[in-house]
Amino acid sequence: MHDGLSASQKAALTRDESKAALLPHPEPITKPTILICGHGGRDQRCGILGPILQSSFRAELARRGIEAHVAQISHIGGHKYAGNVIIYLPPSLEGNALKGSGIWYGRVGPEQVEGVVEETVVKGRVVGELLRGGVMQGGGNIGRIVEAQRRKESGEEEDTGRLRLRPRARA
């Protein structure tokens, strides 16, 4: 893509690796981390719901005695799915099948916070109705894993990895 650019243009697009030395060293995440979209500039839904969800998660985690980081972050996409919540469960979280995973939920309201904490943080289960996506430790796609499990439980045939279209009933 850059072959047709001049040397100065290429240099402007190339990362200056010396700047990386100015950044603090990364630290491992050792507690569950809950990130909530609080960006109100593009769409007020996240800007209004973000602070409410942040205080709801903090209260629920404190009630259960769970140490976790809860913070609002900027735009993560999909304001129509407000409240957008990303839950990262560190690999060191013993007894949780989702340890090392990042789970992205959408349309989370304060009334669902208790259930999300119970199911995901405590029991290591995905709340399917709220799931927008996620990645397991090792790179597995949580959405695909959940879909395959649903097909198996409903008795549908095994996934062959091919795209299959289901006919829609016409009115």
Side-chain angles (χ1 to χ4, degrees):
M1 294 288 296
H2 299 142
D3 290 342
L5 300 176
S6 69
S8 64
Q9 289 172 319
K10 287 180 185 179
L13 295 173
T14 304
R15 182 183 306 228
D16 181 355
E17 295 297 331
S18 69
K19 300 294 184 198
L22 302 174
L23 297 171
H25 292 288
E27 297 177 19
I29 297 174
T30 58
K31 299 176 186 174
T33 301
I34 301 172
L35 305 172
I36 303 158
C37 184
H39 191 281
R42 292 180 57 125
D43 187 312
Q44 287 298 308
R45 289 176 277 202
C46 287
I48 292 168
L49 197 52
I52 295 168
L53 286 173
Q54 182 179 17
S55 64
S56 297
F57 272 104
R58 284 182 174 165
E60 181 60 23
L61 292 161
R63 184 183 75 78
R64 292 171 175 267
I66 298 172
E67 285 190 57
H69 298 288
V70 181
Q72 289 183 67
I73 57 174
S74 188
H75 180 62
I76 57 174
H79 290 295
K80 66 183 177 181
Y81 298 105
N84 285 295
V85 176
I86 299 172
I87 299 176
Y88 175 71
L89 301 170
S92 60
L93 193 62
E94 292 301 319
N96 190 309
L98 293 173
K99 68 182 182 179
S101 300
I103 303 100
W104 187 350
Y105 290 132
R107 295 198 172 106
V108 178
E111 68 278 4
Q112 284 130 344
V113 168
E114 181 181 354
V116 167
V117 170
E118 173 70 19
E119 291 299 313
T120 303
V121 178
V122 175
K123 294 183 177 177
R125 299 191 298 211
V126 172
V127 181
E129 305 81 52
L130 302 175
L131 184 66
R132 287 197 63 201
V135 178
M136 298 284 293
Q137 185 174 9
N141 181 312
I142 290 177
R144 289 189 179 145
I145 293 167
V146 168
E147 276 302 310
Q149 185 177 353
R150 284 183 180 163
R151 279 193 302 276
K152 186 175 181 179
E153 289 172 357
S154 69
E156 292 182 38
E157 65 181 320
E158 288 293 316
D159 185 20
T160 61
R162 295 177 299 164
L163 177 65
R164 290 181 295 177
L165 301 176
R166 293 184 183 179
R168 198 176 344 166
R170 299 188 186 240

